Amino acid sequence: MNIFDASTPEITDDALKEIKNLEADHLGGGVVRFSNTCTVDPSFLSWVDENASEAFEQNWTYETDEAGNTYALNIDRNKFSLEQVKMVPTRLLQPVKHDTPENIVDTFQRYEAAIYKCLIRYIDMFPLVLGTIWWRSRGHVLHYDPGSFLGVHNDNDANYRVMEGQRFIPHAQNGSRQTIAIILYLNNGIKDPEELDGTNYLGGEIIFPYQDIEHQGQTGDVLIFPANFMGAHGVNTVIEGTRYSYLEFMSHGSPSPEVMVEVFEPDEIKAWCEPHWLMSIYEDYAKYALWTQQGNMDRTATSSVNPVFQNRSLEGEAGLEKAYSHEDVVEQNLVRGS
Amino acid sequence: MALVREYPGCRTPIPYVSEADCEYIGGLEVHDYGAGVVVFRNVIDVDQPKLFEYIDKHAVHSTPGVFLKEENGERWCEDLEGRKHPVETYYRNPYRLGGFGDGKPVMDETPEDIAEFFYENENQIYLCLMKYIDMYTHVLNSLWWRFRGNVLKYYPNGAIGMHSDNDTSRKTRDGQRYETDRPEAIFQVLSTITYYNDCVDTEEELDGTNFTGGEMWFPFLNNLTYKPRTGDILFFPANYVGSHGVRDITDGIRYNYQSVFGQGIHADEPSPLIPIYESDSGHWCQAIYLPWLHQDWERFTQSPHSRWTATSEGPPNGEINPLLRPVESNPEGPLMPYEHI
């Protein structure tokens, strides 16, 4: 087994029931909170702490400009001042390695299984998201010390710019392919400083300025939200305590290595949650949709908007015979563009 | 209204945003439905008889993969998988001018007044876009290019099924992936529709210029329904939250114009997955870069009409002006100086 492959759980009859019984709360604009999706063992957070300083070192490289000012670059080579670096959460970008203890690897697998079930329920709430979930990426842990925050941003903005007609094309465009973001909360946020007990944190709420949402995460919450501009969000400054979360993305689009969009087969990925195809998401969701229909759940509200019931062909124009081929797509567009 | 960099022939114009435009944009009649769905009221005058005559002449059937068949007096239509459907299915999707086929809203032979109308339509979309960016500012760096300016014409019984504009309806089966050969949708961020005639409630109100039915419907936004009104421009996110359909047109003919903003992929021309062109490209509304978008919006945001100038700190909800972010890549493409008007 490839330890980096967060294999998706089998959607058994029990899993179907679990998905149906999830506590889901639509906060608005496609932002959905699932509560109590899994438990978090304190020993897991200790393990995160032990690995945070090494991760911090790996998060940053330092350069000095011509004027002699030293600045930091994150892994996407975004510039930060040395002061700003102290206010940025540390990311365990590759939380699972070959020497990671087995129980920790199992824990990550368990988180991924919980997230996948929430994802299926989320698709049932917004069925037309289904066709935009092709691959999964960037499962990683965030560790916010007091004083850390995230400024408002959205997750499919690649920071393109144009000035005087000249384009500044981002060299990494994986962000622009992201359709939904998923956060699993690993400890409790609180509102009252009296409640601080060494396991929780004060501040650190996630805010969505365009949806008028402020959410204080609780252990086991899974928050799923759109990656586009309407899902712009930030994290308020953590005032006291440490905030832990696990974050990943679902994306669509063919690989384009020239702009650093790479997608691997699940058995070929070489690091935890390196971008890889989700092989059975359509069939897994279809199973859930058909099961709830058999259960006489009222599907009238969603049947006309559900790809499972829309009888769409496997590929509109190209028909059943034409399977995916990146090369063909490129070639056809070259012809069309000429 | 807007001052436009002039291109000869059928090319799409790109306006500059002048001081006067800033005031105009600030005064636009806007209705914000929330969730990024915004309508700008009555922004363009439509000479309906003249425009509809032109559209009627050039719009073509555009249901991909559906064909009319006739044999032994029987008529039906058939899809690519050989399934039979009633003839009405063929007419259910709108006819189009642009998008499919050779026709475009503006072609070399297009009469000047019609071409002027479409130029003005694109200009108004651009000016409304300034206001939209002012409202939902984090969209700014996701707007690289615009394309797909095309006219849609719906006959009675016409409709558009529920869909979202960045969904290519991709599927997997038994571990095999099936993908579209037209991947542009993946890169679409923001959609706009300009309405050319009115939706009315009753048959009695039908007067040959309007239609009944044909409302826009957003199922994931509390079933938000928008009733088309002549000269309105509707903006909405292209992602799944902005999924929408057009309800059956029950009588009359419905005309509108669609134009889309998108992001992504490379400066090599044509780009491998979606061809994007310089803004003086020869075809109407090919995907073209918007050479002055950031400078135009910067100008608007510094004017007293912007939400960002209402307080010295900007909006109170933690938003960060994308213009303040450092630029991290190298410039490409032609240098096209921004002309301060």
Side-chain angles (χ1 to χ4, degrees):
Chain A
M1 182 197 159
N2 182 347
I3 65 157
F4 301 126
D5 173 20
S7 52
T8 52
E10 195 187 334
I11 301 305
T12 60
D13 288 353
D14 284 345
L16 293 172
K17 284 177 204 150
E18 266 181 68
I19 292 165
K20 181 168 169 265
N21 292 330
L22 281 166
E23 302 165 52
D25 184 12
H26 184 198
L27 306 179
V31 183
V32 176
R33 174 202 186 180
F34 299 90
S35 310
N36 302 309
T37 66
C38 64
T39 57
V40 178
D41 194 291
S43 67
F44 177 79
L45 300 182
S46 306
W47 176 85
V48 173
D49 288 338
E50 286 160 24
N51 287 274
S53 50
E54 187 190 331
F56 180 86
E57 298 301 320
Q58 290 167 353
N59 282 183
W60 301 102
T61 53
Y62 297 90
E63 286 180 5
T64 303
D65 64 18
E66 285 166 8
N69 302 313
T70 301
Y71 55 88
L73 295 168
N74 71 2
I75 54 147
D76 290 332
R77 298 193 66 77
N78 304 123
K79 276 187 192 177
F80 291 80
S81 73
L82 300 182
E83 278 306 301
Q84 284 173 319
V85 167
K86 297 175 193 161
M87 297 180 251
V88 176
T90 295
R91 294 174 191 254
L92 276 70
L93 289 164
Q94 290 189 16
V96 175
K97 304 188 179 85
H98 284 292
D99 59 357
T100 302
E102 204 173 315
N103 65 320
I104 297 294
V105 180
D106 288 348
T107 302
F108 278 107
Q109 295 284 3
R110 193 162 56 80
Y111 294 162
E112 283 289 352
I115 286 171
Y116 194 72
K117 289 171 192 166
C118 295
L119 178 64
I120 288 178
R121 180 68 180 277
Y122 187 81
I123 296 168
D124 202 50
M125 300 171 82
F126 306 96
L128 282 166
V129 74
L130 181 61
T132 68
I133 300 172
W134 299 21
W135 36 280
R136 163 172 70 180
S137 65
R138 293 193 176 194
H140 66 280
V141 177
L142 282 90
H143 176 283
Y144 294 71
D145 279 323
S148 305
F149 68 97
L150 271 187
V152 173
H153 65 284
N154 65 284
D155 288 335
N156 82 347
D157 176 354
N159 200 24
Y160 167 80
R161 196 73 59 86
V162 56
M163 285 185 289
E164 303 292 329
Q166 292 209 300
R167 304 178 280 275
F168 294 77
I169 304 264
H171 64 274
Q173 292 181 30
N174 43 343
S176 70
R177 309 301 173 86
Q178 288 168 182
T179 52
I180 64 178
I182 304 179
I183 298 173
L184 168 64
Y185 286 86
L186 300 173
N187 64 335
N188 288 337
I190 55 167
K191 291 279 185 199
D192 180 356
E194 298 279 310
E195 294 170 32
L196 280 165
D197 65 3
T199 69
N200 50 19
Y201 59 92
L202 184 65
E205 302 88 354
I206 190 166
I207 56 162
F208 293 84
Y210 300 142
Q211 318 280 6
D212 204 18
I213 292 169
E214 179 177 303
H215 176 63
Q216 183 62 296
Q218 301 300 307
T219 308
D221 276 5
V222 167
L223 200 68
I224 304 188
F225 55 93
N228 74 338
F229 63 97
M230 287 307 299
H233 61 281
V235 175
N236 288 340
T237 304
V238 174
I239 298 163
E240 206 166 332
T242 306
R243 181 189 194 273
Y244 303 88
S245 59
Y246 181 70
L247 170 67
E248 69 183 25
F249 299 100
M250 301 294 159
S251 304
H252 63 168
S254 334
S256 297
E258 69 276 20
V259 287
M260 295 177 72
V261 178
E262 294 190 273
V263 193
F264 300 93
E265 303 298 336
D267 57 355
E268 286 175 355
I269 59 174
K270 295 179 185 66
W272 178 256
C273 269
E274 213 173 24
H276 61 276
W277 300 105
L278 283 176
M279 306 305 275
S280 60
I281 184 73
Y282 183 86
E283 282 142 320
D284 286 341
Y285 172 65
K287 188 170 182 182
Y288 180 74
L290 294 166
W291 175 74
T292 52
Q293 191 183 42
Q294 281 163 8
N296 294 320
M297 268 176 66
D298 180 12
R299 296 212 69 95
T300 50
T302 56
S303 60
S304 72
V305 303
N306 194 324
V308 172
F309 302 116
Q310 275 178 336
N311 197 22
R312 293 187 185 185
S313 63
L314 273 179
E315 170 30 44
E317 263 184 273
L320 278 166
E321 290 160 19
K322 185 164 173 299
Y324 163 77
S325 158
H326 181 66
E327 288 69 27
D328 284 354
V329 171
V330 170
E331 193 175 311
Q332 286 175 16
N333 271 318
L334 287 171
V335 172
R336 277 201 291 150
S338 63
Chain B
M1 169 57 65
L3 290 152
V4 174
R5 174 168 285 213
E6 284 180 16
Y7 298 120
C10 66
R11 296 162 180 182
T12 26
I14 309 246
Y16 294 101
V17 174
S18 67
E19 292 290 352
D21 290 331
C22 289
E23 192 177 341
Y24 168 78
I25 294 163
L28 284 167
E29 188 189 341
V30 186
H31 183 77
D32 184 0
Y33 288 101
V37 182
V38 174
V39 65
F40 297 89
R41 296 285 191 199
N42 199 26
V43 283
I44 185 162
D45 293 327
V46 183
D47 182 344
Q48 291 175 329
K50 194 180 279 178
L51 182 66
F52 295 167
E53 185 192 342
Y54 175 79
I55 295 169
D56 291 347
K57 190 174 160 194
H58 295 285
V60 296
H61 180 259
S62 69
T63 311
V66 179
F67 308 95
L68 273 183
K69 300 267 179 176
E70 187 164 0
E71 209 173 281
N72 302 329
E74 190 199 350
R75 294 180 78 219
W76 71 94
C77 78
E78 203 169 286
D79 65 25
L80 280 169
E81 289 159 35
R83 291 183 295 215
K84 286 186 176 182
H85 305 277
V87 173
E88 293 75 49
T89 309
Y90 186 80
Y91 294 103
R92 194 156 167 76
N93 275 321
Y95 276 45
R96 288 181 195 249
L97 174 53
F100 301 97
D102 296 330
K104 304 283 175 219
V106 180
M107 299 171 276
D108 286 337
E109 63 272 27
T110 302
E112 203 166 308
D113 52 348
I114 297 286
E116 285 297 326
F117 171 80
F118 284 113
Y119 294 157
E120 178 62 7
N121 196 343
E122 280 292 347
N123 292 341
Q124 289 297 336
I125 291 169
Y126 192 79
L127 296 178
C128 292
L129 178 67
M130 293 298 123
K131 178 73 178 176
Y132 190 87
I133 296 170
D134 202 55
M135 298 165 77
Y136 296 104
T137 309
H138 283 271
V139 74
L140 181 66
N141 290 347
S142 299
L143 303 172
W144 298 24
W145 32 265
R146 73 152 184 231
F147 84 138
R148 283 185 58 173
N150 70 109
V151 178
L152 287 85
K153 177 188 179 187
Y154 297 74
Y155 287 96
N157 197 41
I160 280 195
M162 196 52 62
H163 67 284
S164 79
D165 286 350
N166 80 351
D167 179 6
T168 54
S169 193
R170 180 258 197 187
K171 285 185 180 180
T172 56
R173 278 281 191 283
D174 299 324
Q176 173 72 62
R177 300 182 283 271
Y178 295 85
E179 183 177 318
T180 175
D181 60 0
R182 296 184 69 91
E184 297 96 316
I186 287 160
F187 304 100
Q188 292 178 177
V189 173
L190 182 63
S191 304
T192 76
I193 297 178
T194 309
Y195 293 93
Y196 289 165
N197 58 344
D198 287 339
C199 170
V200 293
D201 291 328
T202 60
E203 274 178 42
E204 289 74 46
E205 294 167 79
L206 286 168
D207 64 3
T209 69
N210 49 20
F211 57 94
T212 52
E215 300 92 350
M216 277 283 278
W217 168 44
F218 296 84
F220 303 141
L221 300 173
N222 297 322
N223 285 322
L224 168 66
T225 299
Y226 165 78
K227 274 178 59 180
R229 265 175 34 182
T230 308
D232 281 5
I233 303 182
L234 186 72
F235 281 61
F236 54 93
N239 77 336
Y240 60 98
V241 181
S243 293
H244 58 278
V246 175
R247 290 211 161 108
D248 287 14
I249 284 83
T250 44
D251 208 343
I253 295 178
R254 181 189 196 269
Y255 295 90
N256 64 264
Y257 179 83
Q258 177 194 38
S259 188
V260 173
F261 297 92
Q263 68 168 345
I265 216 68
H266 212 250
D268 290 345
E269 312 288 358
S271 184
L273 289 177
I274 174 167
I276 312 167
Y277 298 87
E278 300 301 338
S279 47
D280 58 356
S281 153
H283 293 273
W284 179 262
C285 276
Q286 279 177 322
I288 54 166
Y289 286 108
L290 300 166
W292 309 294
L293 181 75
H294 287 74
Q295 280 155 310
D296 280 335
W297 187 69
E298 183 172 20
R299 174 145 228 216
F300 180 70
T301 198
Q302 287 166 356
S303 79
H305 313 289
S306 167
R307 183 171 72 99
W308 288 79
T309 51
T311 67
S312 55
E313 284 93 32
N317 57 5
E319 286 174 76
I320 297 165
N321 190 332
L323 294 173
L324 299 179
R325 287 202 216 156
V327 174
E328 286 137 354
S329 44
N330 299 317
E332 5 182 306
L335 188 68
M336 298 168 74
Y338 183 71
E339 290 173 27
H340 198 76
I341 300 164

